Amino acid sequence: EPSPATHRPLMSLAERLPDPKYRVLKDVFGFDRFRPGQERAVDALLAGRNVLTVMPTGSGKSLCFQVPALVMGGLTVVVSPLIALMQDQVQALRLAGVAADKIASSEDRETNVTAWRRVVSGETRLLYLTPERLMTDRMLDALAKCDVRLIAIDEAHCVSQWGPAFRPEYQALGRLAEHFPGVPIAALTATADELTREDIARQLFDGRAETMVLGFDRPNISLAVEPKRDWKRQMLTFVQRHNGASGIVYCLSRKRTEQAAEVLRENGVHALAYHAGMDKDAREANQNAFMTEQ
């Protein structure tokens, strides 16, 4: 006679693990374990400490704040410099069933207003903003009335290296601690030497932050240079060597972007253009096609 235990349904990893961070990791993101460095960053943020994390691209920096955001509840504000990166993360989170939104200049007013209503109602878990959008008196005052539990600053090296000239609002992020006292801040970057890390920590955290450096080596990335002779032929030769793979061709102008996509299409490669001069709907449709591997 089988024992009663034989008839019990098998428990999932999430059910066996009482720690909510593991449940979120498994149930939302589908991972059985954290990658190196991630869990330490997650634990520090959950304990209310500021974190400066330097991890190579592709090592899972976003999970360092996304997991605590969902464990903590309330609202997490994510600062990102590029609207395309914001769109990428928001789309990925929504596909995972997470209530994420962005408010950006690329959206029409009605779309942004609708997103803000979701924030105010408490529906949105992660809100993505550019530093220019965030660091206005109006937005800061509005967010101060919300249940902000965590702030994440992506590409944090901009605070130090390029802040004064390229993105001055990144330097203004140093005022966030005044506006949101007691709210832990995560600063994330893939590249910051010791001096840059010290400068970021001084500006954002007044030097009080837990710093985690996993190195800069990216073994999956290589760099090669060759003289330009016939760019169309050279581009095609390279792309054809990677048949079946996906990739991005960066160009110096909108016109060249259109030309490159056309050359690839004429030679049997499914290629789409993406640049700031395109109609918003067409640009978003092309990005969605790329992200969903169509």
Side-chain angles (χ1 to χ4, degrees), residues 40 88 108 130 192 197 219 224 259:
R40 183 182 163 197
D88 182 8
D108 56 48
T130 62
R197 294 196 299 271
Q259 288 176 337

Side-chain angles (χ1 to χ4, degrees), residues 5 54 83 89-90 99 106 131 144 160 163 192 201 204-206 210 212 222 238-239 247 275-276 283:
V54 182
I83 291 173
Q89 289 207 19
V90 168
S106 61
S160 175
L204 291 180
F205 314 119
D206 196 23
E210 194 163 330
M212 303 166 197
S222 61
F238 181 87
V239 170
H275 59 72
R283 188 174 68 240

Side-chain angles (χ1 to χ4, degrees), residues 95-259:
L95 287 172
V98 177
D101 276 300
K102 75 176 189 297
I103 296 178
S105 58
S106 61
E107 304 291 352
D108 56 48
R109 184 177 185 278
E110 183 179 352
T111 301
N112 283 334
V113 168
T114 301
W116 179 250
R117 285 176 181 157
R118 288 194 291 265
V119 172
V120 172
S121 71
E123 177 184 345
T124 300
R125 297 274 70 83
L126 291 100
L127 174 64
Y128 284 73
L129 299 166
T130 62
E132 291 82 2
R133 176 75 62 161
L134 171 60
M135 298 310 295
T136 63
D137 291 339
R138 185 178 180 183
M139 179 59 77
L140 290 170
D141 290 344
L143 284 172
K145 300 171 185 173
C146 299
D147 185 19
V148 177
R149 306 279 184 90
L150 175 64
I151 297 172
I153 300 172
D154 205 4
E155 308 297 340
H157 53 272
C158 295
V159 171
S160 175
Q161 295 174 339
W162 302 332
F166 176 54
R167 300 296 282 264
E169 284 75 13
Y170 256 90
Q171 280 198 317
L173 296 174
R175 305 202 316 266
L176 286 174
E178 302 171 17
H179 289 278
F180 302 96
V183 174
I185 299 175
L188 307 103
T189 178
T191 172
D193 59 20
E194 186 174 355
L195 287 176
T196 303
R197 294 196 299 271
E198 291 175 357
D199 193 28
I200 293 170
R202 178 184 59 79
Q203 293 195 49
L204 291 180
F205 314 119
D206 196 23
R208 295 187 297 272
E210 194 163 330
T211 302
M212 303 166 197
V213 182
L214 265 70
F216 307 100
D217 182 34
R218 308 176 196 180
N220 60 323
I221 297 177
S222 61
L223 180 67
V225 179
E226 64 178 273
K228 184 173 75 171
R229 300 184 183 90
D230 177 353
W231 72 268
K232 294 180 181 178
R233 179 187 58 78
Q234 288 173 297
M235 177 180 68
L236 279 171
T237 299
F238 181 87
V239 170
Q240 288 167 351
R241 287 205 306 267
H242 297 274
N243 185 38
S246 62
I248 300 175
V249 178
Y250 288 93
C251 304
L252 292 177
S253 68
R254 298 173 185 181
K255 181 179 179 181
R256 181 55 58 86
T257 298
E258 298 282 358
Q259 288 176 337

